[in-house]
Amino acid sequence: MTILSCLTPPAYRTTHFGTADISAKKDHAAMDMLYDPHRPHRKPLSPITRIPRPKGCDGIGLVLQGGGALGAYQAGVYQALHEAGLEPDWVAGVSIGAVNSAIIAGNKPEHRVAKLEKFWLDITARDPYTVWPEGDSPRKLRNALSALNTMMFGQPGFFKPLPFSGFMAPRGSGASTALYDTSPLYKTLEKLVDFNRINDGPVRFAVGAVNVGTANFTYFDNHEVEICPEHIMASGALPPGLPMIRIGRHQYWDGGLVSNTPLQHLLDHIAGRNMLIFQVDLFSALGEIPRDMPEVLSRQKEIQYSSRTRTTTDHFLKVHKLQQALREAIYMVPEDKLTEDQRILKTSLERLPEINILQLIYQHKAYEGDVRDYEFSRISMKDHWRSGYFDTRNTLVHHEWLEFTGEGGINSYDIHRMGK
């Protein structure tokens, strides 16, 4: 299978995007998670001890939520999993989670962290505010200015402003339905992702988008369609900023408009397998009551984009209990009284899956405010990456969360809600 069948606008193929490789090499040491640049007097941490795949685990899933600039948190999570030797068999994402998912599934394990670093260092390369006083208020001002810089100039290798776009463009023109051009992202994906590996490789891959014409949520799964850069871009085409993406006869927007996490898709396709799932969320469902307008806007985003993990897991539990009851009932029927379909059903119910979900939810800082999902400064990116790495490192200490009991059902764990 190749990606040649994916029709691509010629304009997307004119040049190749790329910040000089020396930039990535220069910052590589800064992405070293074992050394804390804020506390240079401390001894570096010891590397993560490799963890063997838990007994009874049939597959490892990585589920990545949307959240723009906060997506560096997911890269830190993957780095910790990689160092622990827990490579995913399933990767699914929405929006920026789709981009990170494509980089992970579209590269060999030994190259994935470097490619994630390359992506995040490149798109945060244009940071005009490199020196700033410490403290919440100065940092909040710095982040606001950084977000304003993003709005005015876009991000290299990601998106750039469209002149005379949106309300200023003639109705029906190409620039009338978006404010930015995402062709730089297309070139970035071509450079960092091997789409032949996504389509023919060992990792199950899926990204979610919403059909603009029907409002139906759609998953682009590499077991069902041939994945191309357009599928990743469609999953992250958040209106009104980013343009809708045409795939076939349909136009698509960011999947986060309908569902910001693809957990349900994974659970619907595990086919009775025991799964260890790392769900990485960038917006927390739990939050404080707002006390001013910036906090209102921030909390609105958290409620709108936080994953419905509890709803999904509750639904799965109800289905699991119904399956258990059906299994008990069907075993009470003599074998010679069963139809062929009932025998097949009986066989399928002999082993019900056991799911362990380890939730990793980004905990936003007091100074980040409502601009945190489009504030692409280098310093914030590194902070997000480190948060993801250490949240995962602390989660993996709990080896009992990784164990399978053989009883079936679903278990959910969250390092930030211990003792609550």
Side-chain angles (χ1 to χ4, degrees), residues 237-290:
L238 184 64
L242 305 186
M244 63 188 86
I245 301 297
R246 185 182 181 90
I247 299 175
R249 297 182 296 106
H250 302 286
Q251 301 278 1
Y252 291 91
W253 270 333
D254 192 309
L257 294 174
V258 175
S259 175
N260 205 29
T261 178
L263 176 62
Q264 184 66 55
H265 182 71
L266 192 154
L267 293 178
D268 287 342
H269 291 80
I270 58 175
R273 303 170 67 206
N274 292 344
M275 292 291 295
L276 175 63
I277 300 174
F278 294 89
Q279 176 167 324
V280 190
D281 293 349
L282 303 179
F283 293 97
S284 175
L286 297 180
E288 301 294 330
I289 302 299

Side-chain angles (χ1 to χ4, degrees), residues 358-399:
L358 276 60
Q359 288 187 268
L360 296 144
I361 305 174
Y362 176 68
Q363 307 297 301
H364 76 270
K365 312 299 188 296
Y367 53 76
E368 289 186 300
D370 63 298
V371 302
R372 61 184 184 269
D373 56 327
Y374 60 97
E375 193 274 295
F376 285 89
S377 67
R378 179 67 61 83
I379 187 173
S380 293
M381 181 275 287
K382 291 179 180 177
D383 285 347
H384 298 150
W385 190 302
R386 293 182 68 84
S387 294
Y389 180 86
F390 285 106
D391 279 356
T392 308
R393 187 180 176 114
N394 292 334
T395 295
L396 294 177
V397 170
H398 298 270
H399 295 287

Side-chain angles (χ1 to χ4, degrees), residues 136-159:
D136 285 357
S137 295
R139 182 65 184 272
K140 183 177 289 189
L141 175 59
R142 182 200 188 285
N143 286 8
L145 292 174
S146 176
L148 180 61
N149 185 72
T150 295
M151 293 174 63
M152 293 176 62
F153 304 109
Q155 292 301 132
F158 201 164
F159 57 90

Side-chain angles (χ1 to χ4, degrees), residues 19-325:
T19 300
D21 288 343
I22 191 172
S23 171
K25 293 177 182 177
K26 180 179 178 182
D27 277 282
H28 185 81
M31 304 301 285
D32 181 1
M33 296 295 105
L34 303 182
Y35 169 77
D36 188 349
H38 301 296
R39 299 175 177 84
H41 59 282
R42 289 191 177 182
K43 287 180 59 178
L45 293 172
S46 57
I48 296 176
T49 302
R50 292 183 71 83
I51 300 173
R53 179 166 294 210
K55 185 178 180 181
C57 177
D58 299 319
I60 297 176
L62 183 60
V63 178
L64 304 181
Q65 189 190 71
L70 301 175
Y73 178 84
Q74 299 170 341
V77 169
Y78 174 75
Q79 180 178 348
L81 293 178
H82 173 74
E83 292 177 6
L86 296 173
E87 295 291 348
D89 309 292
W90 246 100
V91 183
V94 169
S95 198
I96 195 65
V99 177
N100 285 329
S101 295
I103 295 173
I104 292 169
N107 286 283
K108 295 179 180 179
E110 61 268 27
H111 298 151
R112 291 168 179 169
V113 173
K115 290 296 181 71
L116 286 168
E117 281 190 12
K118 175 67 174 169
F119 173 74
W120 284 99
L121 288 172
D122 281 356
I123 68 170
T124 59
R126 186 170 57 226
D127 186 355
Y129 310 105
T130 55
V131 178
W132 206 263
E134 292 188 359
D136 285 357
S137 295
R139 182 65 184 272
K140 183 177 289 189
L141 175 59
R142 182 200 188 285
N143 286 8
L145 292 174
S146 176
L148 180 61
N149 185 72
T150 295
M151 293 174 63
M152 293 176 62
F153 304 109
Q155 292 301 132
F158 201 164
F159 57 90
K160 60 185 179 181
L162 278 171
F164 303 105
S165 60
F167 295 105
M168 299 177 64
R171 184 176 186 273
S173 66
S176 63
T177 57
L179 304 176
Y180 300 93
D181 172 17
T182 52
S183 60
L185 177 59
Y186 189 98
K187 298 169 187 175
T188 298
L189 291 171
E190 278 197 319
K191 184 175 181 178
L192 297 180
V193 178
D194 181 353
F195 283 89
N196 288 329
R197 184 174 182 85
I198 288 183
N199 290 305
D200 299 330
V203 178
R204 181 78 179 265
F205 173 86
V207 295
V210 59
N211 186 308
V212 178
T214 66
N216 290 331
F217 193 86
T218 301
Y219 284 107
F220 300 115
D221 190 312
N222 65 347
H223 280 206
E224 300 169 1
V225 299
E226 186 175 349
I227 302 298
C228 302
E230 288 89 347
H231 296 108
I232 315 304
M233 296 170 67
S235 183
L238 184 64
L242 305 186
M244 63 188 86
I245 301 297
R246 185 182 181 90
I247 299 175
R249 297 182 296 106
H250 302 286
Q251 301 278 1
Y252 291 91
W253 270 333
D254 192 309
L257 294 174
V258 175
S259 175
N260 205 29
T261 178
L263 176 62
Q264 184 66 55
H265 182 71
L266 192 154
L267 293 178
D268 287 342
H269 291 80
I270 58 175
R273 303 170 67 206
N274 292 344
M275 292 291 295
L276 175 63
I277 300 174
F278 294 89
Q279 176 167 324
V280 190
D281 293 349
L282 303 179
F283 293 97
S284 175
L286 297 180
E288 301 294 330
I289 302 299
R291 296 176 60 85
D292 57 26
M293 190 53 65
E295 290 182 4
V296 167
L297 297 174
S298 177
R299 186 63 188 140
Q300 177 192 12
K301 284 184 180 179
E302 289 175 339
I303 293 173
Q304 181 177 358
Y305 293 120
S306 64
S307 68
R308 305 295 184 263
T309 301
R310 178 56 56 193
T311 301
T312 301
T313 54
D314 286 348
H315 171 74
F316 185 89
L317 276 174
K318 289 179 181 178
V319 172
H320 180 77
K321 290 178 180 179
L322 288 172
Q323 289 175 326
Q324 285 180 318

